[in-house]
């Protein structure tokens, strides 16, 4: 069992870790569809998306429809591009938006 100090150290280490922003793609193998999105933290986005889809509350209706029609097994998540660390939040947001547009066009995917 982890003691109080061990727990505090684990929480502090988690808070200090660097998040990596980037572009991801979700592909539906059964339908041949693809979606591309950007996230400020690539480590967390798949878990968030899959939770939304399982609950039926994904804001991206076409992705939710593919989940409902073909199931979780037919969807594949992949990191397409990791962005360089950016100090300014607005610069990171602008870079993410531009790279999502680029990858959506390159992959013939819907931007989410």
């Amino acid at each position: 069992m982890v003691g109080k100090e061990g727990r505090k150290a684990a929480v502090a280490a988690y808070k200090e870790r660097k998040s990596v922003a980037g572009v991801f793609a979700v592909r539906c193998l059964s339908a041949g569809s693809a979606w591309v999105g950007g996230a400020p933290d690539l480590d967390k986005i798949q878990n968030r998306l899959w939770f939304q889809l399982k609950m039926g509350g994904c804001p991206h209706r076409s992705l939710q429809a593919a989940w409902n029609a073909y199931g979780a097994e037919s969807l594949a998540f992949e990191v397409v591009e990791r962005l360089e660390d950016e100090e300014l939040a607005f610069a990171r947001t602008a870079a993410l938006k531009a790279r999502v547009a680029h990858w959506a066009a390159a992959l013939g995917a819907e931007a989410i």
Side-chain angles (χ1 to χ4, degrees), residues 15 24-26 32-34 42 44 48 51 53 66 69 95 97 104 108:
K15 287 181 179 179
F24 64 90
V26 177
S33 303
L42 286 172
K44 297 178 182 175
R48 184 177 112 205
F51 179 78
L53 290 164
K97 188 174 182 180

Side-chain angles (χ1 to χ4, degrees), residues 15-85:
K15 287 181 179 179
E16 290 176 11
R17 74 173 178 78
K18 286 280 191 182
S19 61
V20 177
V23 180
F24 64 90
V26 177
R27 297 177 192 263
C28 180
L29 306 174
S30 299
S33 303
W35 299 265
V36 174
D41 191 349
L42 286 172
D43 293 338
K44 297 178 182 175
I45 191 65
Q46 182 181 7
N47 189 42
R48 184 177 112 205
L49 268 176
W50 262 233
F51 179 78
Q52 289 175 335
L53 290 164
K54 285 178 193 174
M55 293 299 164
C58 184
H60 314 294
R61 291 291 151 214
S62 60
L63 180 56
Q64 184 71 58
W67 175 281
N68 294 343
Y70 303 108
E73 303 79 31
S74 68
L75 294 181
F77 179 90
E78 66 182 277
V79 174
V80 178
E81 180 179 1
R82 294 179 188 275
L83 298 181
E84 304 252 344
D85 192 25

